[in-house]
C-alpha cells in the first residue's frame, strides 16, 4: 500500500467504518510508515481538540433573548396567516 | 460513535412527538424544539458566517422558517437534520452577502489530489492543547478553521463537531456521500497541517523527523 492510498482511506479509518481486511491493510501500513502514523495520530488529535473546544457557546442571556424573539415572531406570523391554508 | 442503524419502523421518537404537536399548533412544543437545538444552530451558524451578529440572525431566521414551513416537513428525516439544512442555507446567504467577491458554495470544486497531501510531517506534543491557556487555544482554533473554504469547514463542523453521521451531513447539505467524505478528509488534513506550527513538538530543530530519538513506536 502506498502512502497516498492510505491517506485516501484515512477518514474511513478514523471513523471506524472499514471492512476488516482493508483495516488490517491500513494497520500494516501504519506499523512501518512513520509519516502516515504521525499524520493519522495528529489528525485524530485535531478532531478531538475541535470537538472538545466548546467554541461559540451560546451565552445564557443571549439564549433567552433569542428564544423569546423567535417565539414572538412565530406567534405574530401565525396571526397574519391563519392556519389550514 | 456511529453505529449501524437499522432502517426499520421505530416507535415515534420524542422529537417527532414534539414536531407533531407543533404542527397541530402547540407553540410550547415548538419552543421545546428551539430549546433543544438553539445551541447547535448557533454554533453551526457562527462557524459558517464567522460573525456573531450574523449567527444570531441565522438562529432566529432558521427557527422562524422551520416554524412556518413545518407543514412541509416530511417525517422521513430527523427534524434536526431538516433544521440544520435550513440553518446552513441561511448562513451561506449571510456569508454571500458579506463576501460577494468570493464564490460561496458548497459545491465549489475540490482542488487537485496533491493539495491536501501533508507537506509537513511533525509529531505533536502529547497534549499539545495544554500548552496554551483557554483564550489562546480558542483564538488558535478559531483562526485556523476560518482559513478553510466554507464548504470544507461546514462539513467538518457538522460531522466532527456536531456529530452528525455522514448520511445526515449529506442530507443536510444536499451533497452526495462521496462528496461529504472527500470534503471531510480535506478539511481534516488541512486543519491538521495548519495546527502543526502551534502543536508540533518543541526542540525538533529543523522540524525534520528523520532520525530523532522519538520514543514509543516499535522498540519492544
Ligand atoms: Zn505511509
Amino acid at each position: 500500500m502506498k502512502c497516498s492510498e492510505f491517506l485516501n482511506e484515512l477518514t474511513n479509518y478514523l471513523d471506524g467504518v472499514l471492512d476488516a481486511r482493508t483495516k488490517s491493510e491500513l494497520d500494516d501500513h501504519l506499523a512501518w510508515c512513520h509519516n502516515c502514523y504521525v499524520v493519522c495520530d495528529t489528525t485524530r488529535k485535531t478532531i478531538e481538540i475541535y470537538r472538545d473546544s466548546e467554541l461559540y457557546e451560546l451565552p445564557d442571556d443571549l439564549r433567552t433573548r433569542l428564544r423569546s424573539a423567535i417565539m414572538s415572531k412565530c406567534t405574530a406570523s401565525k396571526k397574519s396567516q391563519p392556519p389550514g391554508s | 460513535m456511529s453505529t449501524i442503524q437499522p432502517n426499520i419502523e421505530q416507535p415515534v421518537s420524542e422529537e417527532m412527538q414534539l414536531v407533531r404537536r407543533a404542527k397541530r399548533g402547540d407553540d410550547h412544543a415548538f419552543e421545546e424544539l428551539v430549546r433543544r437545538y438553539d445551541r447547535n444552530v448557533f454554533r453551526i451558524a457562527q462557524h459558517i458566517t464567522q460573525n456573531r451578529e450574523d449567527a444570531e440572525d441565522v438562529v432566529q431566521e432558521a427557527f422562524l422558517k422551520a416554524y412556518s414551513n413545518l407543514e412541509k416537513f416530511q417525517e422521513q428525516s430527523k427534524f434536526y437534520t431538516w433544521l440544520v439544512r435550513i440553518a446552513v442555507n441561511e448562513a451561506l446567504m449571510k456569508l454571500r452577502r458579506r463576501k460577494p467577491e468570493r464564490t460561496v458554495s458548497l459545491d465549489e470544486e475540490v482542488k487537485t489530489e496533491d493539495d491536501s497531501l501533508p507537506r509537513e510531517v511533525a509529531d505533536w506534543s502529547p497534549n499539545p492543547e495544554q500548552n496554551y491557556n483557554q483564550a489562546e487555544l480558542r483564538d488558535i482554533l478559531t483562526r485556523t478553521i476560518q482559513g478553510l473554504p466554507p464548504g470544507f469547514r461546514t462539513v467538518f463542523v457538522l460531522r466532527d463537531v456536531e456529530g452528525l453521521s455522514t448520511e445526515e451531513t449529506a442530507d443536510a447539505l444536499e451533497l452526495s456521500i462521496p462528496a461529504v467524505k472527500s470534503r471531510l478528509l480535506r478539511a481534516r488534513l488541512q486543519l491538521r497541517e495548519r495546527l502543526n506550527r502551534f502543536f508540533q513538538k518543541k526542540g525538533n530543530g529543523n522540524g525534520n523527523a528523520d532520525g530523532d530519538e522519538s520514543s514509543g513506536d516499535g522498540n519492544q
Side-chain angles (χ1 to χ4, degrees):
Chain A
M1 172 175 285
K2 287 189 287 187
C3 294
S4 59
E5 295 172 300
F6 176 87
L7 277 178
N8 277 329
E9 290 297 336
L10 179 63
T11 269
N12 288 328
Y13 183 78
L14 289 172
D15 293 345
V17 294
L18 288 171
D19 59 89
R21 213 182 105 204
T22 314
K23 184 182 177 300
S24 83
E25 282 174 20
L26 295 185
D27 285 335
D28 284 350
H29 184 83
L30 280 188
W32 64 264
C33 181
H34 183 69
N35 275 2
C36 285
Y37 174 83
V38 170
V39 169
C40 181
D41 187 48
T42 52
T43 303
R44 178 182 288 129
K45 277 183 194 158
T46 298
I47 298 167
E48 285 168 3
I49 289 171
Y50 270 100
R51 185 171 294 163
D52 299 341
S53 66
E54 300 183 344
L55 291 179
Y56 307 138
E57 287 303 310
L58 184 54
D60 281 341
D61 52 341
L62 174 58
R63 195 177 173 219
T64 313
R65 194 157 57 73
L66 283 177
R67 192 171 61 240
S68 69
I70 291 165
M71 291 319 294
S72 66
K73 281 183 190 166
C74 286
T75 318
S77 79
K78 192 152 68 174
K79 276 180 197 141
S80 63
Q81 202 179 32
S85 52
Chain B
M1 284 300 292
S2 56
T3 51
I4 299 155
Q5 291 173 348
N7 215 352
I8 49 170
E9 296 269 330
Q10 285 171 353
V12 181
S13 68
E14 207 186 325
E15 177 188 273
M16 206 56 88
Q17 288 176 16
L18 286 170
V19 171
R20 287 182 186 171
R21 279 170 50 200
K23 275 187 178 178
R24 289 195 301 263
D26 180 348
D27 284 352
H28 293 294
F30 188 78
E31 188 166 2
E32 189 52 41
L33 290 167
V34 176
R35 249 180 238 277
R36 249 176 217 225
Y37 299 124
D38 55 356
R39 293 191 187 93
N40 308 70
V41 172
F42 180 73
R43 212 157 34 217
I44 292 166
Q46 195 155 354
H47 267 296
I48 296 175
T49 63
Q50 304 292 345
N51 179 290
R52 165 86 174 249
E53 277 170 45
D54 282 352
E56 292 179 25
D57 286 351
V58 169
V59 172
Q60 298 194 47
E61 284 154 22
F63 278 110
L64 191 59
K65 242 182 200 165
Y67 182 86
S68 40
N69 291 290
L70 210 50
E71 282 303 319
K72 295 186 198 128
F73 168 61
Q74 307 290 314
E75 298 186 5
Q76 289 131 356
S77 64
K78 280 195 206 162
F79 172 78
Y80 178 51
T81 315
W82 182 69
L83 177 67
V84 167
R85 188 192 301 168
I86 297 174
V88 167
N89 284 330
E90 292 290 323
L92 287 174
M93 256 191 299
K94 290 273 180 208
L95 195 58
R96 275 184 210 115
R97 223 166 285 155
R98 280 206 194 257
K99 300 190 171 166
E101 74 279 8
R102 279 181 58 192
T103 326
V104 175
S105 158
L106 287 177
D107 302 322
E108 68 196 82
E109 214 20 76
V110 176
K111 289 182 202 137
T112 56
E113 252 341 88
D114 334 344
D115 186 54
S116 56
L117 281 180
R119 274 168 299 235
E120 201 187 338
V121 178
D123 210 350
W124 290 1
S125 321
N127 294 299
E129 71 278 18
Q130 289 171 9
N131 295 333
Y132 298 92
N133 70 38
Q134 213 180 18
E136 287 169 336
L137 183 64
R138 215 162 262 204
D139 193 49
I140 290 169
L141 296 178
T142 315
R143 281 198 287 165
T144 301
I145 200 168
Q146 274 173 6
L148 291 193
F152 286 14
R153 63 176 189 253
T154 304
V155 170
F156 179 81
V157 166
L158 295 191
R159 269 296 273 105
D160 283 340
V161 180
E162 297 301 321
L164 270 69
S165 70
T166 305
E167 289 73 17
E168 288 166 344
T169 305
D171 189 18
L173 302 182
E174 296 171 276
L175 288 171
S176 70
I177 286 178
V180 168
K181 286 192 172 183
S182 129
R183 280 162 180 72
L184 182 63
L185 175 64
R186 280 147 211 281
R188 286 170 167 181
L189 288 176
Q190 286 189 23
L191 287 175
R192 187 206 76 88
E193 189 88 22
R194 285 158 199 247
L195 289 176
N196 260 339
R197 68 191 183 96
F198 301 105
F199 293 159
Q200 140 180 13
K201 244 182 209 163
K202 297 273 152 46
N204 264 359
N206 56 9
N208 183 353
D210 280 350
D212 70 347
E213 67 270 25
S214 65
S215 57
D217 47 358
N219 44 2
Q220 284 177 5

